[in-house]
Amino acid sequence: MKNGLAQSTINDILHTLGIIPMDAGANPGATSGSSAGWIETEGPELVSYSPVNGQPLARIRTARREDYETLMKRAQEAFNTFRMTPAPKRGEMVREIGNALREKKDALGALISLEAGKILAEGQGEVQEMIDIADFSVGLSRQLYGLTMHSERPEHRMYEQWHPLGIVGIITAFNFPAAVWSWNALIAGVCGDANMFKPSSKTPLTAIAIQNIIAPVVDKFGADGIFNMVIGSRTDVGEPMLHDPRIPLISATGSTAMGKHVGQVVGGRLGKSLLELGGNNAIIVTEDADMDMAIRATLFGAVGTAGQRCTSTRRIIVQSSVKETFVKRLVAAYKQVKIGNPLDESTLMGPLIDEGAAEAMDRALEAVVAQGGEILYGGGRATLDGLEGGSYVIPAVVAAENHYPVVQEETFAPILYIIEYDSFDQAIDLHNGVPQGLSSAIFTGSVHYQEGFLSHRGSDCGIANVNIGTSGAEIGGAFGGEKETGGGRESGSDAWKIYMRRQTNTINWGRELPLAQGIEFNISED
């Protein structure tokens, strides 16, 4: 499949995942997760277009406000029962969800490539991440630990425990249409919560496929109403979710502007927000760095997913003595990047999600030149036979200064800014001198530089790597960032705690009633 996209291939992928192709009817856009859970609606129609060639894939009937209310009632009823299910039993359900994902890994990975534009290896990798999260969650279901503490009062026992939180609202972006759902829904599932999933309107078919895959497992465990999905407008679904007091936690992935709105609305009702927002991720390349490793990490970090990852590498802060060599080798590597059909296994970079993203890249390149930068390579469109409807661009390498307004912003496209430094302290200042704080990296052979980067005066990001790029993260660690990235943490470590409520318990097993801090409070017998 070198060029073009055969309709038979599209239909095979869709049929395997239970999705109705474009000309065969409309897919329902609201479900409570079981095979009988789809809601028939007369809501507005949404068409999913493939960024591969700009052609329509399928039609969806989106949910109305009343459909959202129907799902919320199901979720509330389901949660009241599900929270009493022992956590290891909930883990068993998630284990079988992981197995169901294994069976459909190839098809779901291909759909992600088809609908989000990722190369096939990244689409398959995203499904593998879902499977890994399922495995992680199974173990977690037996490790929802609380602590025991020593009471200051005699014959008292004090401890803390964790209870299911309630209904978790999950709002995802197009660039990770499946993995981010799993980070939240599967961990929240073993914690005993119900979920309300609102996917990006740019990747609705992936969400529908997920619901179809998990439905037999949900049926088997009688968990209808736990894994809910609703595709709808901001007016009919998005805003009601943010304002809904029945949803104690909103987990939202997207732009910083979106996150600020979510935080204000949810905070206004004293709800909790888990925000995964923009990144402006940098790699510091020191004079003693392994150049082969640094070039490879930079290339993947900057052009992977066509620069449409929150962890994509946006800035290279390179020591002045090695800048010329680094840039020369980097541009040579950029010239070898094969741009094309993401379902072709030889492709290294697929399309941007849509024409709007390509236009944003054009504007950013115009701005950086106007602000004093120089385009060293790339920019502009890549024209590909048979794929004329897709938004294919040539990844750009740009010499710039960190203080340029456009460099301070996140452009969701493959633009890499080259920024020179002299001293290590200057490199740290440049690295931290942006509003975002998600992922960071340094390539160095020096323990001094390594430890300085990881110290209190080093990287101010939620993720800091040494001799590893910025893009991607292992599920075992907590994922998230600081500053305008939102401060949320998902996936591993103790990120599970946000999906539960903490309760401190004190038991008096004696026959006296001593008060804390030695307070005396006696009542006369008269």
Side-chain angles (χ1 to χ4, degrees):
M1 195 185 307
K2 298 296 181 183
N3 287 307
L5 194 59
Q7 188 62 47
S8 59
T9 300
I10 295 173
N11 289 344
D12 286 346
I13 294 170
L14 298 181
H15 282 307
T16 300
L17 298 168
I19 296 172
I20 303 169
M22 182 67 191
D23 297 328
N27 294 272
T31 175
S32 57
S34 72
S35 58
W38 287 106
I39 295 175
E40 295 296 333
T41 180
E42 296 301 320
E45 194 170 89
L46 171 69
V47 176
S48 176
Y49 293 90
S50 174
V52 178
N53 58 5
Q55 297 302 305
L57 296 171
R59 293 180 289 129
I60 301 98
R61 280 288 182 186
T62 60
R64 301 163 298 178
R65 178 64 182 269
E66 51 263 45
D67 301 319
Y68 167 77
E69 287 296 332
T70 297
L71 284 182
M72 280 300 300
K73 291 177 182 178
R74 290 187 188 180
Q76 284 183 294
E77 293 172 359
F79 170 69
N80 289 335
T81 300
F82 190 64
R83 62 183 172 181
M84 297 305 295
T85 302
K89 294 294 184 182
R90 302 193 295 254
E92 177 64 16
M93 179 179 66
V94 170
R95 185 185 70 82
E96 294 200 20
I97 286 175
N99 288 338
L101 290 167
R102 284 182 172 89
E103 294 175 5
K104 291 293 195 301
K105 177 180 175 180
D106 289 346
L108 184 57
L111 177 60
I112 292 170
S113 295
L114 190 63
E115 193 175 37
K118 290 185 175 184
I119 63 172
L120 194 58
E122 290 186 273
Q124 303 288 357
E126 184 167 349
V127 182
Q128 185 59 51
E129 189 166 326
M130 301 173 76
I131 295 167
D132 293 342
I133 281 287
D135 290 347
F136 175 84
S137 300
V138 174
L140 182 64
S141 69
R142 294 180 182 270
Q143 300 179 70
L144 303 174
Y145 299 137
L147 299 173
T148 58
M149 290 78 76
H150 290 281
S151 174
E152 65 185 52
R153 291 170 285 191
E155 299 183 328
H156 281 59
R157 180 164 67 91
M158 187 163 64
Y159 67 97
E160 69 177 23
Q161 61 179 331
W162 295 83
H163 295 297
L165 182 64
I167 301 172
V168 175
I170 305 170
I171 300 173
T172 62
F174 74 86
N175 59 333
F176 279 88
V180 174
W181 169 84
S182 68
W183 292 354
N184 288 277
L186 299 186
I187 292 178
V190 299
C191 289
D193 299 324
N195 298 278
M196 185 65 66
F197 172 33
K198 182 186 184 300
S200 167
S201 60
K202 295 180 181 180
T203 51
L205 302 184
T206 300
I208 292 172
I210 291 169
Q211 295 296 97
N212 287 338
I213 290 169
I214 71 173
V217 179
V218 172
D219 286 341
K220 176 180 176 180
F221 284 84
D224 185 34
I226 295 301
F227 297 101
N228 305 283
M229 188 276 293
V230 56
I231 300 168
S233 68
R234 176 175 176 174
T235 300
D236 289 333
V237 175
E239 288 299 316
M241 283 180 67
L242 301 187
H243 287 86
D244 198 332
R246 296 170 294 183
I247 302 180
L249 170 65
I250 293 286
S251 175
T253 303
S255 69
T256 296
M258 181 273 281
K260 288 180 178 179
H261 175 69
V262 172
Q264 289 171 357
V265 173
V266 177
R269 61 174 173 86
L270 298 182
K272 296 198 293 184
S273 298
L274 196 171
L275 302 175
E276 297 289 357
L277 311 176
N280 197 346
N281 316 295
I283 297 176
I284 295 176
V285 180
T286 67
E287 65 272 19
D288 60 353
D290 184 317
M291 285 294 161
D292 290 336
M293 290 175 61
I295 293 292
R296 290 178 60 197
T298 298
L299 187 67
F300 175 72
V303 307
T305 322
Q308 297 173 119
R309 289 182 176 220
C310 52
T311 55
S312 290
T313 306
R314 310 282 180 206
R315 298 174 296 141
I316 295 294
I317 301 170
V318 58
Q319 214 279 333
S320 56
S321 65
V322 295
K323 175 187 173 184
E324 184 177 348
T325 299
F326 180 86
V327 171
K328 182 178 179 180
R329 291 189 58 184
L330 181 65
V331 169
Y334 262 63
K335 291 178 179 178
Q336 299 176 47
V337 173
K338 184 174 185 291
I339 303 166
N341 184 347
L343 293 175
D344 178 352
E345 293 185 357
S346 67
T347 296
L348 291 180
M349 192 181 96
L352 293 178
I353 188 65
D354 55 26
E355 185 60 19
E359 291 172 355
M361 179 175 176
D362 293 340
R363 291 192 298 271
L365 291 174
E366 291 172 1
V368 75
V369 171
Q371 292 162 21
E374 178 187 359
I375 298 176
L376 304 176
Y377 174 79
R381 308 302 174 88
T383 303
L384 305 171
D385 292 339
L387 301 174
E388 290 82 1
S391 297
Y392 294 86
V393 298
I394 302 171
V397 179
V398 182
E401 297 288 341
N402 203 62
H403 65 268
Y404 292 169
V406 70
V407 177
Q408 293 285 308
E409 301 170 354
E410 179 191 43
T411 300
F412 225 50
I415 301 176
L416 183 68
Y417 299 114
I418 306 296
I419 300 163
E420 184 177 343
Y421 80 91
D422 293 316
S423 70
F424 183 67
D425 286 344
Q426 181 190 15
I428 294 295
D429 289 342
L430 290 168
H431 177 278
N432 294 345
V434 294
Q436 309 83 0
L438 178 53
S439 188
S440 61
I442 187 171
F443 276 80
T444 183
S446 165
V447 173
H448 171 73
Y449 290 153
Q450 167 189 311
E451 294 302 315
F453 181 71
L454 299 177
S455 73
H456 298 321
R457 65 180 178 88
S459 169
D460 63 359
C461 294
I463 300 169
N465 299 327
V466 176
N467 294 328
I468 304 170
T470 66
S471 187
E474 295 188 35
I475 65 162
F479 179 89
E482 301 300 324
K483 302 191 294 187
E484 288 192 358
T485 299
R489 292 298 186 274
E490 295 172 316
S491 190
S493 185
D494 65 349
W496 60 271
K497 291 181 178 179
I498 198 167
Y499 305 101
M500 304 194 81
R501 59 181 178 88
R502 187 196 306 247
Q503 185 180 78
T504 301
N505 306 112
T506 306
I507 300 171
N508 179 359
W509 54 271
R511 297 187 181 278
E512 302 293 332
L513 188 65
L515 302 178
Q517 292 89 44
I519 295 173
E520 296 290 339
F521 188 76
N522 297 316
I523 300 176
S524 171
E525 295 181 0
D526 294 337

